[in-house]
Amino acid sequence: MSIAYLNGSYLPLDQAKISPMDRGFLFGDGIYEVIPSYNGKMVGFGPHIERMKNGLAAIGVQFDWTTKQWADLCQQLIEKNGSGNLGLYLHVTRGTDSKRFHAFPENIPATVFAYSFEIGPEPVADKALAKKYRVAATRDLRWERCHIKSIALLGNVLHFQQGYEQGYDETLLFNADNQLTEASACNAFIVKNGTVITPALDNAKLPGITRHILLDILRRDGSIPVEERDVSMDEVYSADEVWITSSSKDIAAVVQINGTTVGNGEVGDVWLAAQTLYSAGKFNY
Ligand code: PLP
């Protein structure tokens, strides 16, 4: 049983209880993060915590933990749960009110919950070991605040489920102008003629930490050109490679979209080069 953290105490996960009047439970009124940790080493701790702070500020939750306090919590979770490969889940809601009323309550403390869960081995840059993802693609029907990592994930859940029910691993999303946004729980990239291209950030996409680290590593290395711009679904279907990225997946190669083969249907050479660079550099963030 994982040891969790709830409002100042460490306890077995199944003993962690919150009130049904918590605004996270009633309204999905909160922010979360997931940080991967391999053998006690986290990937992207700094940018993850910065995104958490930005999210809390964006929704007006008064919560002023320092980066050091977050670091101590993550370290405790790692120590208490064995330092294997863990996803560290951090979650802050606006707190528990006495009534169900939409307006922000005053003077109630935020609810802070965290736990860890086991994740698989560190992804490796090896085509033979890479999972080949098959994904659905559908019109993005979520809200216009997708840049906030809100715990209110029903829009994402419904999109994921749509693909899952058809046997797909993920669901790519596109807007009313047929432009790629992201996937239900990942950012998305295409590769065309050796260039790595990903949709530019706006309020229709989560600023993914894996996306951020990957772009930074590729730009510093300089051997693979990178573009952030609009990407049409026609470009997606005619791409040489398509990737989805997230903290638990690193860079995942997509070989089929809605039954249509991507490129030659294999994990690509640019994926191999990018995952090699990512694996070598990701612990520096
Ligand atoms: N986009 C969405 C909607 C997500 O839920 C996630 C991760 O949960 C991502 C992108 C990837 O973000 P990150 O790389 O920070 O895990």
Side-chain angles (χ1 to χ4, degrees), residues 8 17 28 37 45 59 65 77 91 134 169 172 227 246 267:
K17 307 274 189 264
S37 170
F45 170 78
I59 68 167
W65 267 23
L77 286 178
H91 171 125
R134 296 170 59 254
D169 305 304
L172 287 184
E227 290 177 11
S246 77
V267 178

Side-chain angles (χ1 to χ4, degrees), residues 32 48 51 142 149 156 182-187 206 208-210 245-247:
Y32 79 105
H48 276 285
R51 183 173 64 184
R142 301 171 302 162
K149 200 165 169 64
N156 303 61
E182 54 177 345
S184 70
C186 298
N187 291 112
L206 186 78
I209 304 305
T210 317
T245 63
S246 77
S247 293

Side-chain angles (χ1 to χ4, degrees), residues 64-85:
D64 56 1
W65 267 23
T66 60
T67 302
K68 165 95 174 49
Q69 283 171 292
W70 284 115
D72 290 345
L73 170 59
C74 291
Q75 221 44 60
Q76 287 291 317
L77 286 178
I78 290 170
E79 277 170 30
K80 292 180 192 302
N81 290 294
S83 58
N85 297 335

